Amino acid sequence: MNISRCLSIVTALLTLVALKAYIEWTAEQEEQYPAPHAARLQSVPITPFQPFEEIPPAFVFHHFNASLQQFRQSIPRAKAYWNAKQHKHFRALEEGLGGNASWNKCPSANLEELATQIKHFNSYPELYKNFILYGDCRNYSLLINEPRKCAETKNGAFLLLAIKSVPGNFAARQAVRDTWGQEGEPGGLAVRTVFLLGTAEGQQGPHLQPLVHFESQSFRDILMWDFEDTFFNLTLKDSLFLRWTLDYCRDVRFILKGDDDVFINTPKVLGYLSSVDANEPLYTGQVMSNASPFRIQRSKYYVPESFYVGPYPAYAGGGGYIFSGPLALLLLLISRHVAFYPIDDVYTGLCFQALGIPPQPHAGFMTFDIAEKDREDPCVHSQLLLVHRRSPQQTLRLWKKITDPNLRCGPEVSKPQAEQPPGF
């Protein structure tokens, strides 16, 4: 009886010690990791006090509980594969298990198992099947890196242009380098550019690796990872880029994510960002507020009803948007608990929703192009921050015109009219 009583006392003391340690740890986390929707951005650290992988689910659950609960309520409970998977992530997070336990299991299932879990799975397009099959695989080798990209700046990188490209788009990348993607420090604001690539699509395609390596050696602006570069892998590309940012460009003030066929008025972007309060979280672009999944199979944005049910969150169109550099850490942290989605800008919107940061619409972003009559007008483009899409030849022509010091645009210049996004 005495031994049993002593064991009970020892157990109680150990429990109290553990509880005290947890309370002190929680207080330390509150001091170092304030939630972005409840505090100014200057309080959000770029470098965690411990390696990123070791930041526990308890931190995410504790600091983003309110926005996560709202996010959870916005996801319909349904038998659709993504919905069920996401609610499983919610349960795991509540239990302190996290949502990334299966990341090292690649693939996490086989096609036969998925066919029993997902209605009409066998009728899915092949790329869709592969996306689901490898949807938990988030660790891929960096084949080409530029570790000094942001290091060689006087006051840190102000704007990082992170441009999504594919190996074969040599002309588009060169047009960007020759125009709006030029690196430098205009007005003391350091601008840096990187192109985000996977490997060439498909086993039957041309072997482009030697050409991309030569390009990288010539311009020092290529980041390439060892995954197949397909449309459905853009979400993966975003995730890997966020990790690269934490490793090699952690002090960047702003990040502009865009496609290699956009036209960016870089001086106007710098002017806009110079007026922004850098201590407030920023996520801005052309905002889609009432979008829903495409159910037409021939569309590149096709989402089967057995995969996802429900509306989309408000999100900035993936052709080009800007967010605060310090949010890279928080986005990567929260993405561990948000199941990958095949449409990359929708996925980014889901992660921002989970953080409690809504997108801010900006009239200068035209990710679905402008009226046809204005598409070659430099005066119209001089009013914009970003327009999608332009060919390399158009980009070169427009850049030459809008940077011409003799360009004169009168007050009669019409306000750019956006095209309507298809199917919204």
Side-chain angles (χ1 to χ4, degrees):
M1 178 67 102
N2 290 335
I3 294 176
S4 176
R5 186 177 179 183
C6 286
L7 286 174
S8 298
I9 293 172
V10 170
T11 301
L13 288 173
L14 288 174
T15 301
L16 288 172
V17 170
L19 182 60
K20 180 177 182 293
Y22 178 78
I23 291 171
E24 291 175 348
W25 176 85
T26 301
E28 182 182 11
Q29 304 309 301
E30 286 184 358
E31 184 177 353
Q32 297 206 28
Y33 294 102
H37 55 277
R40 292 169 67 81
L41 198 56
Q42 62 184 356
S43 305
V44 180
I46 297 295
T47 307
F49 76 103
Q50 60 188 130
F52 165 76
E53 289 81 4
E54 295 180 12
I55 298 176
F59 160 72
V60 176
F61 182 76
H62 177 74
H63 288 272
F64 302 106
N65 187 42
S67 57
L68 279 169
Q69 290 304 324
Q70 292 181 358
F71 177 46
R72 184 176 195 167
Q73 293 170 11
S74 73
I75 306 298
R77 291 185 177 274
K79 293 183 179 179
Y81 179 78
W82 190 92
N83 298 64
K85 186 174 184 177
Q86 185 55 47
H87 280 284
K88 184 177 179 181
H89 279 325
F90 288 137
R91 291 193 296 273
L93 187 57
E94 286 182 344
E95 295 167 4
L97 301 175
N100 61 332
S102 61
W103 282 13
N104 292 325
K105 291 179 60 180
C106 300
S108 57
N110 58 53
L111 294 174
E112 291 75 19
E113 291 173 341
L114 291 171
T116 63
Q117 297 175 29
I118 305 174
K119 190 177 181 181
H120 305 309
F121 178 74
N122 290 329
S123 68
Y124 281 23
E126 196 65 27
L127 287 177
Y128 228 105
K129 290 180 181 178
N130 287 334
F131 170 82
I132 298 172
L133 185 63
Y134 294 96
D136 289 324
C137 307
R138 304 192 182 194
N139 297 318
Y140 289 85
S141 301
L142 191 56
L143 301 177
I144 301 177
N145 189 15
E146 292 299 331
R148 302 290 299 169
K149 174 57 67 172
C150 295
E152 298 167 353
T153 57
K154 294 179 181 178
N155 301 308
F158 180 79
L159 174 63
L160 178 63
L161 300 171
I163 309 305
K164 296 173 288 184
S165 189
V166 295
N169 285 11
F170 298 103
R173 290 193 290 276
Q174 192 57 44
V176 170
R177 294 185 187 104
D178 291 341
T179 58
W180 53 262
Q182 297 175 43
E183 295 188 330
E185 300 195 18
L189 304 177
V191 178
R192 295 294 180 264
T193 300
V194 288
F195 295 97
L196 315 178
L197 282 69
T199 56
E201 180 179 343
Q203 298 180 354
Q204 307 302 319
H207 185 52
L208 300 178
Q209 290 295 103
L211 292 175
V212 175
H213 276 277
F214 178 78
E215 181 185 8
S216 169
Q217 291 169 2
S218 300
F219 299 105
R220 316 306 306 182
D221 56 11
I222 299 289
L223 303 179
M224 174 181 271
W225 288 270
D226 189 17
F227 68 89
E228 190 175 344
D229 206 332
T230 66
F231 176 70
F232 287 150
N233 277 340
L234 289 175
T235 300
L236 171 63
K237 184 180 289 187
D238 279 356
S239 177
L240 293 169
F241 164 72
L242 289 173
R243 184 59 209 253
W244 180 88
T245 302
L246 294 185
D247 290 339
Y248 301 108
C249 200
R250 61 187 62 192
D251 293 325
V252 64
R253 293 274 293 278
F254 299 101
I255 296 171
L256 192 158
K257 287 289 302 299
D259 293 340
D260 62 9
D261 59 353
V262 299
F263 182 86
I264 298 175
N265 188 339
T266 314
K268 196 169 184 68
V269 168
L270 291 174
Y272 161 65
L273 293 178
S274 297
S275 68
V276 168
D277 184 350
N279 296 319
E280 297 293 340
L282 179 69
Y283 169 41
T284 187
Q286 183 175 2
V287 176
M288 311 296 137
S289 298
N290 299 296
S292 297
F294 282 72
R295 302 302 189 191
I296 302 173
Q297 190 162 351
R298 65 176 180 270
S299 169
K300 68 182 291 189
Y301 303 104
Y302 168 64
V303 176
E305 198 164 358
S306 57
F307 178 80
Y308 176 84
V309 172
Y312 285 155
Y315 66 94
Y321 58 88
I322 296 174
F323 63 94
S324 306
L327 293 178
L329 170 61
L330 301 181
L331 283 170
L332 195 57
L333 276 175
I334 207 72
S335 72
R336 296 195 296 179
H337 311 285
V338 181
F340 267 2
Y341 195 80
I343 315 298
D344 60 312
D345 48 7
V346 172
Y347 183 74
T348 299
L350 289 166
C351 290
F352 271 110
Q353 184 184 32
L355 290 174
I357 301 174
Q360 302 174 24
H362 192 295
F365 287 81
M366 298 287 185
T367 54
F368 294 96
D369 214 334
I370 55 179
E372 187 172 358
K373 66 181 180 65
D374 296 327
R375 290 177 188 169
E376 293 284 345
D377 190 331
C379 288
V380 171
H381 284 76
S382 69
Q383 301 179 56
L384 299 173
L385 272 65
L386 179 148
V387 62
H388 189 215
R389 60 182 53 175
R390 294 293 177 266
S391 70
Q393 294 76 17
Q394 288 175 310
T395 293
L396 290 165
R397 286 197 303 270
L398 284 166
W399 183 255
K400 184 177 181 180
K401 291 176 181 178
I402 73 165
T403 56
D404 184 348
N406 296 317
L407 177 65
R408 297 291 180 267
C409 300
E412 71 278 0
V413 176
S414 61
K415 183 178 179 181
Q417 298 297 311
E419 290 286 286
Q420 289 299 312
F424 287 82

